[in-house]
Amino acid sequence: MKKLTTLFLLVLFSTQLFAQRAETLAPTPPMGWNSWNKFGCNVSEKLIEEMADAMLNSGMADAGYQYIVIDDCWQVSRDSAGNIIPDPERFPSGMKALADYIHSKGLKFGIYSCAGSMTCQKRPGSRGYQFQDARQYAAWGVDYLKYDWCYNEGQNAKAAYQTMSDALKASGRPIVFSMCEWGSNKPWEWGKGIGNLWRTTGDIFDSFKGAINWGGKGVLDIIDLNADLWPYAGPGHWNDPDMLEVGNGGMTGTEYKTHFSMWCMMAAPLMAGNDLRTMDDETQKILTNEEVIQVDQDALGEQGFRFMDYGDQEIWVKFLENDELAVCFFNRADEPWKVNYDWGKMGISHQDHHVTFHNTKYDLRDLWQHKDIGNTGKNLTAGIPAHGVLMLRLTPEKK
Ligand code: GAL
Protein backbone atom coordinates (compact mmCIF):
# COMPACT_ATOMS: atom_id res chain seq x y z
CA MET A 1 0.00 0.00 0.00
CA LYS A 2 2.81 2.33 1.01
CA LYS A 3 4.58 1.53 -2.26
CA LEU A 4 1.43 2.28 -4.21
CA THR A 5 0.99 5.62 -2.47
CA THR A 6 4.61 6.53 -3.19
CA LEU A 7 4.14 5.56 -6.83
CA PHE A 8 0.96 7.61 -7.03
CA LEU A 9 2.68 10.64 -5.50
CA LEU A 10 5.59 10.26 -7.88
CA VAL A 11 3.32 10.14 -10.93
CA LEU A 12 1.36 13.14 -9.63
CA PHE A 13 4.56 15.06 -8.98
CA SER A 14 6.04 14.38 -12.42
CA THR A 15 2.79 15.28 -14.22
CA GLN A 16 2.65 18.55 -12.30
CA LEU A 17 6.29 19.16 -12.98
CA PHE A 18 5.68 18.72 -16.68
CA ALA A 19 2.65 21.02 -16.65
CA GLN A 20 4.74 23.65 -14.87
CA ARG A 21 7.59 23.16 -17.33
CA ALA A 22 5.25 23.62 -20.30
CA GLU A 23 3.98 26.85 -18.80
CA THR A 24 7.44 28.20 -18.09
CA LEU A 25 8.43 27.38 -21.67
CA ALA A 26 5.69 29.35 -23.39
CA PRO A 27 3.70 31.13 -20.66
CA THR A 28 2.53 33.60 -23.33
CA PRO A 29 2.34 32.92 -27.09
CA PRO A 30 5.88 32.63 -28.55
CA MET A 31 7.09 35.61 -30.62
CA GLY A 32 9.78 35.47 -33.25
CA TRP A 33 10.62 35.25 -36.93
CA ASN A 34 10.53 32.25 -39.29
CA SER A 35 12.15 31.96 -42.72
CA TRP A 36 9.43 30.08 -44.60
CA ASN A 37 6.79 32.63 -45.69
CA LYS A 38 9.29 34.92 -47.40
CA PHE A 39 12.33 32.80 -48.23
CA GLY A 40 11.08 29.21 -48.64
CA CYS A 41 14.11 26.97 -49.24
CA ASN A 42 16.45 29.90 -49.78
CA VAL A 43 17.99 29.81 -46.28
CA SER A 44 21.64 30.26 -45.27
CA GLU A 45 23.65 31.24 -42.21
CA LYS A 46 24.24 34.67 -43.77
CA LEU A 47 20.49 35.27 -44.10
CA ILE A 48 19.79 34.04 -40.59
CA GLU A 49 22.54 36.14 -39.03
CA GLU A 50 21.37 39.22 -40.90
CA MET A 51 17.85 38.56 -39.69
CA ALA A 52 19.08 38.32 -36.09
CA ASP A 53 20.84 41.69 -36.55
CA ALA A 54 17.69 43.18 -38.08
CA MET A 55 15.58 41.84 -35.22
CA LEU A 56 17.59 44.10 -32.92
CA ASN A 57 18.01 47.10 -35.23
CA SER A 58 14.37 47.28 -36.27
CA GLY A 59 12.93 47.42 -32.75
CA MET A 60 11.40 43.93 -33.10
CA ALA A 61 13.45 42.52 -30.21
CA ASP A 62 12.40 45.43 -27.98
CA ALA A 63 8.77 44.74 -28.89
CA GLY A 64 9.19 41.16 -27.61
CA TYR A 65 10.20 39.06 -30.65
CA GLN A 66 12.71 36.49 -29.51
CA TYR A 67 12.97 33.32 -31.61
CA ILE A 68 14.81 33.18 -34.95
CA VAL A 69 13.56 29.98 -36.61
CA ILE A 70 15.03 28.31 -39.70
CA ASP A 71 12.25 26.42 -41.44
CA ASP A 72 12.65 23.64 -44.02
CA CYS A 73 15.75 23.02 -46.20
CA TRP A 74 18.67 23.56 -43.78
CA GLN A 75 19.36 19.80 -43.71
CA VAL A 76 20.74 17.68 -46.56
CA SER A 77 21.47 14.14 -45.39
CA ARG A 78 22.58 11.89 -42.54
CA ASP A 79 26.07 10.53 -41.92
CA SER A 80 26.77 6.81 -41.51
CA ALA A 81 25.99 7.08 -37.79
CA GLY A 82 22.62 8.65 -38.56
CA ASN A 83 23.54 12.18 -37.49
CA ILE A 84 21.68 14.89 -39.34
CA ILE A 85 23.89 17.02 -41.62
CA PRO A 86 23.18 20.70 -42.30
CA ASP A 87 23.82 21.97 -45.83
CA PRO A 88 27.60 22.62 -45.76
CA GLU A 89 27.46 25.24 -48.50
CA ARG A 90 24.69 27.29 -46.97
CA PHE A 91 25.71 26.78 -43.34
CA PRO A 92 29.53 26.52 -43.57
CA SER A 93 30.13 27.41 -39.91
CA GLY A 94 27.66 24.81 -38.66
CA MET A 95 24.61 25.08 -36.45
CA LYS A 96 26.40 25.44 -33.13
CA ALA A 97 28.19 28.57 -34.36
CA LEU A 98 24.91 29.96 -35.69
CA ALA A 99 23.16 29.28 -32.39
CA ASP A 100 26.02 30.99 -30.53
CA TYR A 101 25.69 34.02 -32.80
CA ILE A 102 21.94 34.25 -32.18
CA HIS A 103 22.38 33.77 -28.44
CA SER A 104 25.08 36.45 -28.34
CA LYS A 105 22.40 38.89 -29.52
CA GLY A 106 20.15 37.89 -26.62
CA LEU A 107 17.83 36.01 -28.99
CA LYS A 108 16.76 32.35 -29.19
CA PHE A 109 17.35 29.80 -31.90
CA GLY A 110 14.71 27.64 -33.59
CA ILE A 111 14.94 24.87 -36.12
CA TYR A 112 12.58 22.68 -38.18
CA SER A 113 12.10 18.97 -38.75
CA CYS A 114 9.33 16.56 -39.61
CA ALA A 115 7.67 13.53 -38.00
CA GLY A 116 7.78 11.77 -41.36
CA SER A 117 10.62 10.08 -43.18
CA MET A 118 11.16 13.28 -45.20
CA THR A 119 10.34 16.93 -44.66
CA CYS A 120 7.82 18.60 -46.95
CA GLN A 121 10.72 19.68 -49.21
CA LYS A 122 12.08 16.10 -49.24
CA ARG A 123 14.95 16.65 -46.84
CA PRO A 124 15.63 13.93 -44.22
CA GLY A 125 12.85 13.77 -41.62
CA SER A 126 13.16 12.63 -38.01
CA ARG A 127 11.18 9.39 -38.19
CA GLY A 128 13.35 6.74 -36.52
CA TYR A 129 15.89 9.35 -35.37
CA GLN A 130 13.82 11.35 -32.88
CA PHE A 131 16.05 10.89 -29.82
CA GLN A 132 19.27 11.27 -31.81
CA ASP A 133 18.01 14.46 -33.44
CA ALA A 134 16.76 15.91 -30.16
CA ARG A 135 20.17 15.26 -28.55
CA GLN A 136 21.83 16.95 -31.52
CA TYR A 137 19.54 20.00 -31.32
CA ALA A 138 20.26 20.32 -27.59
CA ALA A 139 24.02 20.10 -28.25
CA TRP A 140 23.74 22.86 -30.85
CA GLY A 141 21.78 25.07 -28.46
CA VAL A 142 18.36 24.90 -30.11
CA ASP A 143 15.53 26.56 -28.14
CA TYR A 144 12.52 25.87 -30.39
CA LEU A 145 11.54 23.03 -32.73
CA LYS A 146 8.85 23.25 -35.40
CA TYR A 147 7.85 19.70 -36.32
CA ASP A 148 5.97 19.03 -39.55
CA TRP A 149 3.76 16.19 -40.82
CA CYS A 150 4.72 15.41 -44.45
CA TYR A 151 5.58 11.83 -45.49
CA ASN A 152 4.18 10.61 -42.17
CA GLU A 153 3.42 7.20 -43.71
CA GLY A 154 0.20 6.67 -41.81
CA GLN A 155 1.61 7.12 -38.32
CA ASN A 156 -0.70 7.93 -35.44
CA ALA A 157 -0.30 11.69 -34.99
CA LYS A 158 -0.58 11.77 -31.21
CA ALA A 159 2.00 8.99 -30.83
CA ALA A 160 4.37 10.57 -33.34
CA TYR A 161 4.29 13.98 -31.62
CA GLN A 162 4.50 12.33 -28.19
CA THR A 163 7.71 10.56 -29.26
CA MET A 164 9.43 13.79 -30.25
CA SER A 165 8.08 15.50 -27.14
CA ASP A 166 9.65 12.74 -25.00
CA ALA A 167 12.89 13.02 -26.98
CA LEU A 168 13.07 16.78 -26.40
CA LYS A 169 12.43 16.31 -22.70
CA ALA A 170 15.11 13.61 -22.52
CA SER A 171 17.59 15.98 -24.21
CA GLY A 172 17.77 17.97 -20.99
CA ARG A 173 17.41 21.34 -22.75
CA PRO A 174 14.17 23.34 -22.56
CA ILE A 175 12.96 23.41 -26.17
CA VAL A 176 9.63 24.92 -27.17
CA PHE A 177 7.76 22.32 -29.22
CA SER A 178 5.72 23.66 -32.15
CA MET A 179 3.51 20.95 -33.65
CA CYS A 180 2.74 21.49 -37.32
CA GLU A 181 0.23 18.90 -38.49
CA TRP A 182 -2.11 21.52 -39.95
CA GLY A 183 -5.01 20.66 -37.62
CA SER A 184 -5.71 17.46 -39.52
CA ASN A 185 -5.94 15.25 -36.39
CA LYS A 186 -7.48 17.86 -34.06
CA PRO A 187 -4.26 18.40 -32.07
CA TRP A 188 -6.11 20.86 -29.79
CA GLU A 189 -7.85 17.81 -28.28
CA TRP A 190 -4.63 16.00 -27.31
CA GLY A 191 -1.73 18.42 -27.75
CA LYS A 192 -1.64 19.97 -24.26
CA GLY A 193 1.29 18.43 -22.38
CA ILE A 194 2.83 17.19 -25.66
CA GLY A 195 3.57 20.49 -27.40
CA ASN A 196 3.47 24.19 -26.59
CA LEU A 197 1.64 25.21 -29.76
CA TRP A 198 -0.10 23.41 -32.56
CA ARG A 199 -1.10 24.53 -36.02
CA THR A 200 -4.87 24.57 -36.38
CA THR A 201 -5.05 25.04 -40.17
CA GLY A 202 -3.33 24.48 -43.50
CA ASP A 203 -0.71 26.98 -44.68
CA ILE A 204 -1.45 30.68 -44.67
CA PHE A 205 -1.31 32.52 -47.98
CA ASP A 206 -0.57 36.22 -48.31
CA SER A 207 -4.16 37.24 -49.10
CA PHE A 208 -7.17 38.51 -47.18
CA LYS A 209 -9.71 35.97 -48.32
CA GLY A 210 -9.98 32.91 -50.50
CA ALA A 211 -8.22 29.61 -50.25
CA ILE A 212 -6.01 28.85 -53.24
CA ASN A 213 -5.76 25.60 -55.11
CA TRP A 214 -2.90 23.94 -53.17
CA GLY A 215 -4.88 24.53 -49.99
CA GLY A 216 -3.31 27.82 -48.94
CA LYS A 217 -5.72 29.91 -46.90
CA GLY A 218 -6.35 33.64 -46.62
CA VAL A 219 -6.63 35.53 -43.35
CA LEU A 220 -10.44 35.24 -43.21
CA ASP A 221 -10.41 31.48 -43.87
CA ILE A 222 -7.89 30.96 -41.09
CA ILE A 223 -9.78 33.13 -38.60
CA ASP A 224 -12.93 31.10 -39.25
CA LEU A 225 -11.12 27.81 -38.65
CA ASN A 226 -9.38 29.01 -35.49
CA ALA A 227 -12.21 31.03 -33.92
CA ASP A 228 -14.09 28.30 -32.08
CA LEU A 229 -10.98 26.65 -30.67
CA TRP A 230 -10.65 29.20 -27.85
CA PRO A 231 -11.40 26.67 -25.07
CA TYR A 232 -8.18 24.79 -25.87
CA ALA A 233 -5.67 27.65 -25.58
CA GLY A 234 -3.86 28.72 -22.42
CA PRO A 235 -0.44 29.32 -20.89
CA GLY A 236 2.03 26.77 -22.27
CA HIS A 237 -0.33 25.44 -24.95
CA TRP A 238 -1.54 27.64 -27.79
CA ASN A 239 -3.60 27.33 -30.94
CA ASP A 240 -1.37 28.35 -33.85
CA PRO A 241 -3.21 29.83 -36.87
CA ASP A 242 0.15 29.96 -38.74
CA MET A 243 2.82 32.59 -39.16
CA LEU A 244 2.35 36.23 -40.10
CA GLU A 245 2.32 37.54 -43.66
CA VAL A 246 2.51 41.20 -42.58
CA GLY A 247 4.86 43.03 -44.95
CA ASN A 248 5.01 40.41 -47.71
CA GLY A 249 3.10 42.53 -50.21
CA GLY A 250 -0.12 40.59 -50.92
CA MET A 251 -2.45 42.68 -48.75
CA THR A 252 -3.14 46.35 -48.08
CA GLY A 253 -1.90 48.12 -44.96
CA THR A 254 -5.44 48.02 -43.55
CA GLU A 255 -5.64 44.27 -44.16
CA TYR A 256 -2.27 43.66 -42.53
CA LYS A 257 -3.42 45.64 -39.47
CA THR A 258 -6.50 43.43 -39.34
CA HIS A 259 -4.42 40.27 -39.75
CA PHE A 260 -2.12 41.36 -36.89
CA SER A 261 -4.97 42.56 -34.63
CA MET A 262 -6.95 39.36 -35.05
CA TRP A 263 -3.91 37.16 -34.37
CA CYS A 264 -3.44 39.13 -31.14
CA MET A 265 -7.14 38.80 -30.27
CA MET A 266 -6.75 35.03 -30.74
CA ALA A 267 -3.62 34.82 -28.51
CA ALA A 268 -1.75 33.45 -31.51
CA PRO A 269 1.99 32.89 -31.61
CA LEU A 270 3.45 35.92 -33.42
CA MET A 271 6.05 34.65 -35.88
CA ALA A 272 6.90 37.38 -38.37
CA GLY A 273 7.38 36.01 -41.87
CA ASN A 274 8.75 39.01 -43.79
CA ASP A 275 12.21 40.38 -44.57
CA LEU A 276 13.08 42.31 -41.41
CA ARG A 277 16.13 43.87 -43.09
CA THR A 278 14.15 45.87 -45.62
CA MET A 279 10.69 46.36 -44.16
CA ASP A 280 9.01 49.71 -44.71
CA ASP A 281 7.81 52.01 -41.99
CA GLU A 282 4.19 50.90 -42.12
CA THR A 283 5.12 47.21 -41.73
CA GLN A 284 7.49 48.00 -38.87
CA LYS A 285 4.78 50.02 -37.09
CA ILE A 286 2.29 47.18 -37.40
CA LEU A 287 4.64 44.45 -36.18
CA THR A 288 5.92 46.52 -33.24
CA ASN A 289 2.64 48.03 -32.04
CA GLU A 290 3.23 47.28 -28.39
CA GLU A 291 -0.32 48.11 -27.30
CA VAL A 292 -1.69 45.49 -29.67
CA ILE A 293 1.05 43.03 -28.74
CA GLN A 294 0.15 43.43 -25.05
CA VAL A 295 -3.30 42.05 -25.86
CA ASP A 296 -1.69 38.96 -27.39
CA GLN A 297 0.78 38.57 -24.56
CA ASP A 298 -1.63 39.15 -21.68
CA ALA A 299 -0.69 36.87 -18.79
CA LEU A 300 -4.22 35.53 -18.35
CA GLY A 301 -3.59 33.62 -21.57
CA GLU A 302 -7.19 33.52 -22.82
CA GLN A 303 -7.92 33.31 -26.51
CA GLY A 304 -10.47 35.91 -27.60
CA PHE A 305 -13.80 34.85 -29.03
CA ARG A 306 -16.39 36.08 -31.50
CA PHE A 307 -18.87 37.85 -29.25
CA MET A 308 -21.23 39.23 -31.91
CA ASP A 309 -21.69 38.03 -35.44
CA TYR A 310 -23.65 40.36 -37.72
CA GLY A 311 -22.51 38.55 -40.86
CA ASP A 312 -19.81 40.71 -42.39
CA GLN A 313 -19.35 42.66 -39.18
CA GLU A 314 -18.18 41.04 -35.98
CA ILE A 315 -17.27 42.08 -32.44
CA TRP A 316 -14.56 40.08 -30.72
CA VAL A 317 -13.73 40.10 -27.01
CA LYS A 318 -10.60 38.96 -25.18
CA PHE A 319 -10.47 39.04 -21.41
CA LEU A 320 -7.27 40.43 -19.92
CA GLU A 321 -5.69 40.59 -16.50
CA ASN A 322 -7.00 43.02 -13.86
CA ASP A 323 -10.56 43.02 -15.20
CA GLU A 324 -9.53 44.73 -18.42
CA LEU A 325 -10.67 43.54 -21.82
CA ALA A 326 -9.85 43.99 -25.46
CA VAL A 327 -12.76 44.56 -27.84
CA CYS A 328 -12.22 44.45 -31.58
CA PHE A 329 -14.80 45.66 -34.10
CA PHE A 330 -13.92 43.66 -37.20
CA ASN A 331 -15.25 44.63 -40.62
CA ARG A 332 -14.94 41.78 -43.14
CA ALA A 333 -17.04 43.62 -45.71
CA ASP A 334 -15.86 45.39 -48.87
CA GLU A 335 -17.64 48.56 -47.67
CA PRO A 336 -16.94 50.73 -44.62
CA TRP A 337 -18.84 50.03 -41.38
CA LYS A 338 -20.46 52.97 -39.63
CA VAL A 339 -20.55 51.95 -36.01
CA ASN A 340 -22.94 53.45 -33.49
CA TYR A 341 -22.64 51.16 -30.54
CA ASP A 342 -24.60 51.41 -27.32
CA TRP A 343 -22.43 49.85 -24.59
CA GLY A 344 -25.35 49.99 -22.16
CA LYS A 345 -27.03 47.19 -24.08
CA MET A 346 -23.97 44.99 -23.93
CA GLY A 347 -23.54 42.22 -21.39
CA ILE A 348 -20.87 39.58 -21.65
CA SER A 349 -20.92 36.27 -19.85
CA HIS A 350 -18.04 34.03 -20.75
CA GLN A 351 -16.60 31.33 -18.52
CA ASP A 352 -15.85 33.10 -15.19
CA HIS A 353 -16.28 36.57 -16.65
CA HIS A 354 -19.47 38.58 -16.31
CA VAL A 355 -19.43 42.11 -17.59
CA THR A 356 -22.18 44.69 -17.91
CA PHE A 357 -21.76 48.34 -18.66
CA HIS A 358 -24.66 49.63 -16.51
CA ASN A 359 -22.80 49.72 -13.22
CA THR A 360 -19.17 49.91 -14.27
CA LYS A 361 -17.86 52.43 -16.75
CA TYR A 362 -14.82 51.49 -18.79
CA ASP A 363 -12.27 53.88 -20.28
CA LEU A 364 -11.65 53.27 -23.97
CA ARG A 365 -8.26 53.31 -25.65
CA ASP A 366 -7.83 52.99 -29.41
CA LEU A 367 -4.81 50.69 -29.82
CA TRP A 368 -3.98 51.77 -33.40
CA GLN A 369 -4.42 55.50 -32.93
CA HIS A 370 -2.77 55.28 -29.50
CA LYS A 371 -5.45 57.58 -28.14
CA ASP A 372 -7.92 57.59 -25.25
CA ILE A 373 -11.35 57.97 -26.83
CA GLY A 374 -13.74 58.42 -23.92
CA ASN A 375 -15.68 55.80 -22.02
CA THR A 376 -18.56 53.35 -22.25
CA GLY A 377 -20.94 55.92 -20.72
CA LYS A 378 -21.94 57.05 -24.20
CA ASN A 379 -22.35 55.42 -27.59
CA LEU A 380 -19.24 54.58 -29.56
CA THR A 381 -19.37 56.16 -32.99
CA ALA A 382 -16.71 55.30 -35.55
CA GLY A 383 -16.15 54.59 -39.23
CA ILE A 384 -14.24 51.39 -39.88
CA PRO A 385 -12.79 50.95 -43.39
CA ALA A 386 -13.48 47.93 -45.57
CA HIS A 387 -11.47 44.95 -44.22
CA GLY A 388 -10.46 47.05 -41.21
CA VAL A 389 -10.70 46.90 -37.45
CA LEU A 390 -11.24 49.19 -34.50
CA MET A 391 -9.30 47.62 -31.65
CA LEU A 392 -9.91 48.90 -28.15
CA ARG A 393 -8.64 48.26 -24.65
CA LEU A 394 -11.25 48.69 -21.94
CA THR A 395 -10.15 49.58 -18.40
CA PRO A 396 -12.70 49.79 -15.57
CA GLU A 397 -12.90 53.34 -14.21
CA LYS A 398 -11.88 53.65 -10.60
CA LYS A 399 -14.86 54.48 -8.44
C1 GAL B 1 4.46 22.94 -44.46
C2 GAL B 1 4.27 23.87 -43.26
C3 GAL B 1 4.86 25.21 -43.61
C4 GAL B 1 6.32 25.05 -43.95
C5 GAL B 1 6.51 24.02 -45.06
C6 GAL B 1 7.98 23.71 -45.31
O1 GAL B 1 3.95 21.70 -44.16
O2 GAL B 1 2.92 23.96 -42.93
O3 GAL B 1 4.68 26.13 -42.55
O4 GAL B 1 7.02 24.64 -42.79
O5 GAL B 1 5.84 22.81 -44.75
O6 GAL B 1 8.17 22.76 -46.30
Side-chain angles (χ1 to χ4, degrees):
M1 188 62 197
K2 207 169 151 213
K3 264 193 191 150
L4 263 181
T5 320
T6 320
L7 188 72
F8 174 72
L9 285 175
L10 254 173
V11 171
L12 192 74
F13 181 66
S14 52
T15 335
Q16 281 187 345
L17 206 70
F18 177 72
Q20 275 172 8
R21 192 175 161 274
E23 286 187 25
T24 39
L25 263 184
T28 59
M31 294 174 66
W33 175 88
N34 175 300
S35 54
W36 182 255
N37 282 357
K38 174 77 185 173
F39 297 97
C41 264
N42 201 6
V43 287
S44 67
E45 74 181 35
K46 182 167 177 291
L47 178 86
I48 300 301
E49 288 181 0
E50 287 178 5
M51 222 49 79
D53 295 345
M55 191 87 128
L56 272 88
N57 302 337
S58 61
M60 293 283 287
D62 283 342
Y65 296 85
Q66 216 185 358
Y67 294 96
I68 297 272
V69 184
I70 317 177
D71 208 280
D72 209 344
C73 303
W74 60 267
Q75 61 285 71
V76 282
S77 55
R78 292 188 183 275
D79 68 14
S80 55
N83 298 307
I84 189 76
I85 316 242
D87 185 329
E89 273 161 38
R90 288 172 173 264
F91 296 90
S93 315
M95 290 301 172
K96 173 81 173 73
L98 187 52
D100 289 348
Y101 184 85
I102 291 171
H103 290 149
S104 76
K105 303 270 160 185
L107 301 171
K108 294 190 165 169
F109 178 44
I111 215 165
Y112 161 101
S113 189
C114 184
S117 54
M118 288 192 289
T119 72
C120 298
Q121 304 305 315
K122 302 201 170 154
R123 305 304 176 94
S126 287
R127 186 171 190 192
Y129 298 91
Q130 295 90 342
F131 281 74
Q132 188 171 1
D133 282 355
R135 273 197 302 275
Q136 179 67 87
Y137 303 153
W140 284 338
V142 167
D143 306 296
Y144 183 109
L145 174 69
K146 173 174 168 182
Y147 202 51
D148 218 330
W149 191 228
C150 283
Y151 303 99
N152 65 69
E153 294 157 343
Q155 292 176 79
N156 172 288
K158 183 177 176 191
Y161 281 89
Q162 181 73 64
T163 304
M164 188 45 108
S165 175
D166 292 345
L168 293 175
K169 273 169 233 156
S171 81
R173 189 177 168 88
I175 297 178
V176 170
F177 190 30
S178 155
M179 307 183 349
C180 176
E181 61 76 81
W182 323 302
S184 36
N185 295 277
K186 300 192 176 164
W188 46 89
E189 287 179 355
W190 46 265
K192 182 177 171 186
I194 296 180
N196 303 106
L197 56 155
W198 48 78
R199 280 275 297 278
T200 53
T201 75
D203 287 11
I204 191 167
F205 184 68
D206 187 13
S207 79
F208 193 64
K209 56 180 152 189
I212 60 163
N213 51 15
W214 51 265
K217 289 170 171 49
V219 160
L220 289 185
D221 311 296
I222 292 198
I223 291 171
D224 289 342
L225 288 166
N226 200 59
D228 294 337
L229 301 178
W230 58 262
Y232 301 100
H237 54 97
W238 307 101
N239 290 314
D240 173 9
D242 207 357
M243 303 170 296
L244 299 166
E245 291 284 9
V246 178
N248 281 338
M251 290 181 247
T252 65
T254 300
E255 290 169 343
Y256 280 139
K257 272 187 197 166
T258 298
H259 171 24
F260 193 70
S261 304
M262 292 306 293
W263 261 233
C264 291
M265 288 301 290
M266 297 191 296
L270 298 177
M271 303 301 284
N274 60 317
D275 190 341
L276 304 179
R277 300 167 304 179
T278 55
M279 64 180 157
D280 59 20
D281 211 41
E282 186 177 34
T283 303
Q284 194 270 351
K285 283 214 167 67
I286 295 173
L287 288 172
T288 61
N289 183 333
E290 293 192 28
E291 293 197 80
V292 172
I293 292 173
Q294 275 164 18
V295 170
D296 180 76
Q297 295 289 303
D298 185 82
L300 211 54
E302 291 196 13
Q303 177 171 327
F305 61 98
R306 195 184 263 135
F307 166 66
M308 282 289 168
D309 185 350
Y310 308 112
D312 267 352
Q313 285 88 29
E314 298 174 357
I315 304 175
W316 285 60
V317 171
K318 182 182 195 286
F319 285 95
L320 310 174
E321 270 195 313
N322 303 321
D323 299 323
E324 292 187 280
L325 52 155
V327 176
C328 188
F329 292 78
F330 170 29
N331 183 17
R332 307 164 66 115
D334 298 333
E335 298 84 40
W337 178 14
K338 272 196 145 181
V339 175
N340 184 353
Y341 194 71
D342 181 353
W343 296 99
K345 285 193 187 146
M346 188 182 188
I348 314 171
S349 245
H350 179 71
Q351 293 182 303
D352 299 335
H353 308 280
H354 305 285
V355 171
T356 58
F357 295 93
H358 305 302
N359 314 327
T360 319
K361 255 194 215 160
Y362 286 73
D363 288 329
L364 302 175
R365 176 139 180 108
D366 181 325
L367 303 186
W368 284 106
Q369 282 192 66
H370 305 293
K371 258 198 207 150
D372 296 332
I373 57 157
N375 60 44
T376 52
K378 63 175 204 286
N379 281 19
L380 171 79
T381 53
I384 304 178
H387 300 179
V389 292
L390 173 66
M391 188 168 174
L392 306 174
R393 186 179 188 102
L394 275 64
T395 310
E397 276 185 1
K398 295 206 177 69
K399 285 193 181 142

